[in-house]
Amino acid sequence: GFTILGGLIPPSLLTDLRHEAETARTLARRLHGPSAQRLQPVYGHPEIDPRPFRDFLELDGLRDAVREILSPEHTRTEIMGILFEPAEKAWATHW
């Protein structure tokens, strides 16, 4: 399942996140092939601007929702990754 948190991300931040996610998808496919489904961690790749991701993690509404839906013990991490659709062949990602 999933939870939709409508209106949580300001439009300007959403634009920045989408731009950096596109850069990350291109990088993931260059590094791991066209069926890459993830780039993790996001931080540490000079091609990717980490500021939108850090701004996302600091959204008050997001932090409040995580505390309410999961627990106060669930906190932010520096190993953030992005999941992508594979370009050619789908495969299962282990959790």
Side-chain angles (χ1 to χ4, degrees):
F2 54 90
T3 302
I4 298 173
L5 303 171
L8 178 74
I9 304 173
S12 61
L13 178 56
L14 188 56
T15 297
D16 293 344
L17 287 166
R18 287 178 173 157
H19 178 266
E20 296 309 319
E22 181 64 35
T23 300
R25 179 175 46 204
T26 300
L27 176 61
R29 289 181 178 167
R30 188 177 80 228
L31 294 173
H32 306 292
S35 293
Q37 290 185 305
R38 164 177 87 203
L39 184 69
Q40 185 178 17
V42 171
Y43 309 126
H45 297 281
E47 302 93 323
I48 301 171
D49 180 359
R51 285 176 295 181
F53 300 103
R54 290 200 167 107
D55 291 346
F56 171 75
L57 290 175
E58 293 300 323
L59 287 173
D60 287 335
L62 177 65
R63 294 171 62 148
D64 293 342
V66 168
R67 279 191 291 274
E68 291 293 320
I69 295 169
L70 299 175
S71 78
E73 286 78 36
H74 287 82
T75 59
R76 59 178 280 176
T77 178
E78 291 294 315
I79 59 168
M80 176 185 275
I82 304 175
L83 300 176
F84 304 109
E85 79 289 353
E88 293 179 358
K89 183 179 176 186
W91 53 279
T93 299
H94 297 282
W95 293 96

